[in-house]
Amino acid sequence: QLPDMKIGIVTLPFNANYGGILQNYALQITLKKIGHEVLTVSRFSKSMSLSMRILTTGKRILKRIAGKKVIVRTWPNKNELQIIWQNTNRFIAGNISLTETIESENDFKKLAKYRFDAWIVGSDQVWRPKYAPNLENHFLGFTAGENKVRRIAYAASFGVDNWEFTPKQTIKCSALAKKFDAVSVREKSGISLCKKHLKIDVCQVLDPTLLVSASEYKQLAEKANAPDFKGKLVTYVLDKSPAKKELLNQIANELALETVSVMPKRFFREVGKKGISECVAPPVTDWIKSFMDAEFVVTDSFHGTAFSIIFNKLFVVVGNPKRGMARFHSLLETFGLEDRMVSEESLNISEMVKKPVDYERVNSILVQKQNEAFEFLKNALQDRIKSVENGN
């Protein structure tokens, strides 16, 4: 048993992102099991940037002038967000330990008062510029004055296999990355990106959600009395398109299953404040239970894929280039499940949906990879303890 340490985690703002919430929940409970005190940086996230708001409003006013019926404000305000996120916020409040809320990227410096022994960046696409408002904070630039603090990246993801940093970001983040004591990435492609652009050697580890057992997730869902989804075709599709809709219909007909989706009924951008009651995100435990009970899963989400594997489900992943394909390829390749990926234009999927998955093999790979991940975390934190004992 390692001595207790106080650990801070930097990840992306939660929003109503089930995967983002659950990867942090999983990393926290994994670290707590080892015996540490853990807090995640609480960050307030605007639903849309100022430039996008101005652009969107301008376009919609022009449509109104042209006599078209449109909602001018397509993003929720702070109070409306609390309504939309009420269920996800409840799960976070009950299951994730947080710092005070950081309202802006400059406020990260205020976190020095927590006197963390170690900082962990991860997981999710924390190193993807379009999702990180200030990349330097995701490379722990705000800890510059803290000499004895341990800096670790756990399953950090670039999301894609090409380099998206600007030359200026590359120089700054490379210098900061070299100050880390241990770095791991989530995707195989992240190893070469780190070597080539950040000039550091790293290893690959599992997404945190895969460190927690199916039975622990099951307990969470049962404790919350989540509804029954048995015998259903569960769909978790983030980016809908006519082609995906057609693919879903094909699969539902092929399997003769009723389709169910754990998503808000509508999005605020479609209905505005008058339809806000339809925009509420379902509870996190309902989302977990849908994967737990599903007869079959269709998803275009990284974490939808991860939970299909956790619960040993038959599933199909619809490639989602918009959100980064490297994540899907890497996850499926780890478990030898590349053949579960289809494109939304796939025509002949009848053989694919009836093809079994060798979960005995998948689960033995999972145990091996979990052990590697636990070893990485223990070593990353153990070194810090040794250096403190040696008076460094």
Side-chain angles (χ1 to χ4, degrees):
Q1 178 69 40
L2 298 172
D4 286 358
M5 290 172 67
K6 196 173 179 187
I7 301 170
I9 298 176
V10 176
T11 193
L12 296 172
F14 290 127
N15 305 338
N17 176 343
Y18 297 108
I21 292 165
L22 286 166
Q23 61 82 21
N24 187 251
Y25 164 77
L27 184 55
Q28 277 210 0
I29 65 165
T30 299
L31 291 166
K32 286 175 179 176
K33 279 179 195 167
I34 306 173
H36 303 300
E37 184 189 337
V38 195
L39 293 176
T40 295
V41 177
S42 172
R43 306 166 74 174
F44 180 73
S45 166
K46 293 185 177 72
S47 56
M48 195 184 280
S49 69
L50 182 61
S51 56
M52 280 303 290
R53 290 180 194 199
I54 292 166
L55 189 66
T56 309
T57 307
K59 280 181 183 173
R60 288 177 175 266
I61 288 169
L62 289 174
K63 283 183 180 177
R64 274 262 179 107
I65 293 166
K68 292 179 183 172
K69 245 186 143 181
V70 291
I71 311 153
V72 171
R73 182 167 64 84
T74 58
W75 63 90
N77 62 31
K78 212 167 179 177
N79 291 336
E80 289 159 349
L81 280 176
Q82 295 317 308
I83 295 169
I84 294 167
W85 297 345
Q86 59 185 283
N87 291 319
T88 47
N89 282 347
R90 195 178 305 121
F91 180 87
I92 292 163
N95 297 280
I96 294 177
S97 310
L98 299 169
T99 64
E100 63 179 68
T101 301
I102 298 297
E103 294 280 346
S104 83
E105 292 296 302
N106 295 331
D107 287 348
F108 266 85
K109 291 185 173 65
K110 293 180 180 175
L111 299 167
K113 68 181 178 202
Y114 287 95
R115 303 178 72 82
F116 289 116
D117 300 303
W119 278 100
I120 297 182
V121 178
S123 177
D124 229 348
Q125 297 182 66
V126 286
W127 285 352
R128 191 164 189 194
K130 71 188 240 183
Y131 295 140
N134 180 341
L135 263 177
E136 286 174 52
N137 282 336
H138 286 203
F139 281 86
L140 303 178
F142 64 92
T143 67
E146 301 173 44
N147 297 330
K148 290 187 177 178
V149 78
R150 189 124 186 104
R151 296 173 182 86
I152 299 159
Y154 182 81
S157 171
F158 296 98
V160 290
D161 54 11
N162 56 296
W163 193 246
E164 294 184 332
F165 291 31
T166 64
K168 191 177 173 185
Q169 285 172 330
T170 304
I171 292 164
K172 284 191 170 177
C173 294
S174 173
L176 290 169
K178 290 183 178 79
K179 292 179 180 174
F180 275 66
D181 299 281
V183 178
S184 60
V185 290
R186 196 175 67 183
E187 282 81 44
K188 192 177 175 182
S189 56
I191 298 174
S192 51
L193 290 177
C194 282
K195 196 172 184 69
K196 186 178 176 184
H197 300 282
L198 300 178
K199 307 288 188 272
I200 55 167
D201 291 321
V202 307
C203 63
Q204 182 191 4
V205 292
L206 287 177
D207 182 84
T209 55
L210 291 152
L211 302 182
V212 175
S213 70
S215 60
E216 288 176 85
Y217 287 122
K218 192 177 170 188
Q219 281 171 2
L220 266 183
E222 286 174 348
K223 202 168 78 179
N225 287 322
D228 186 2
F229 296 91
K230 283 194 172 66
K232 302 281 198 297
L233 169 64
V234 168
T235 69
Y236 183 57
V237 176
L238 300 172
D239 298 310
K240 294 179 174 64
S241 68
K244 278 185 194 170
K245 202 170 182 182
E246 179 53 38
L247 187 69
L248 288 175
N249 289 338
Q250 269 190 63
I251 295 171
N253 291 337
E254 189 71 43
L255 298 171
L257 292 175
E258 184 191 334
T259 302
V260 67
S261 167
V262 182
M263 296 274 281
K265 289 190 184 76
R266 305 292 293 275
F267 292 104
F268 192 90
R269 62 177 178 270
E270 303 164 335
V271 294
K273 62 181 179 183
K274 284 182 183 171
I276 195 161
S277 61
E278 293 185 288
C279 303
V280 178
V284 176
T285 42
D286 287 19
W287 189 87
I288 293 170
K289 186 81 161 23
S290 71
F291 287 91
M292 189 177 126
D293 288 351
E295 188 71 25
F296 196 98
V297 176
V298 181
T299 187
D300 64 351
S301 142
F302 174 89
H303 284 106
T305 309
F307 275 84
S308 300
I309 293 167
I310 288 164
F311 287 116
N312 287 191
K313 296 296 168 180
L314 286 175
F315 68 96
V316 161
V317 183
V318 187
N320 194 341
K322 186 174 151 187
R323 291 173 187 254
M325 290 295 284
R327 307 174 307 135
F328 297 98
H329 290 310
S330 192
L331 177 62
L332 294 170
E333 193 186 318
T334 297
F335 296 102
L337 295 171
E338 297 97 320
D339 61 350
R340 307 309 296 186
M341 169 91 83
V342 298
S343 78
E344 55 183 70
E345 287 82 22
S346 296
L347 298 171
N348 187 15
I349 45 89
S350 56
E351 277 181 39
M352 152 67 132
V353 296
K354 289 177 179 163
K355 193 177 174 187
V357 175
D358 180 359
Y359 270 112
E360 198 172 313
R361 184 182 59 81
V362 169
N363 292 337
S364 72
I365 294 168
L366 180 59
V367 170
Q368 178 203 330
K369 296 290 177 189
Q370 283 173 336
N371 290 335
E372 287 171 17
F374 297 142
E375 202 58 32
F376 171 83
L377 283 169
K378 282 182 180 175
N379 289 340
L381 296 164
Q382 183 78 49
D383 288 349
R384 149 80 187 154
I385 291 149
K386 280 181 192 159
S387 71
V388 169
E389 284 168 358
N390 295 334
N392 294 332

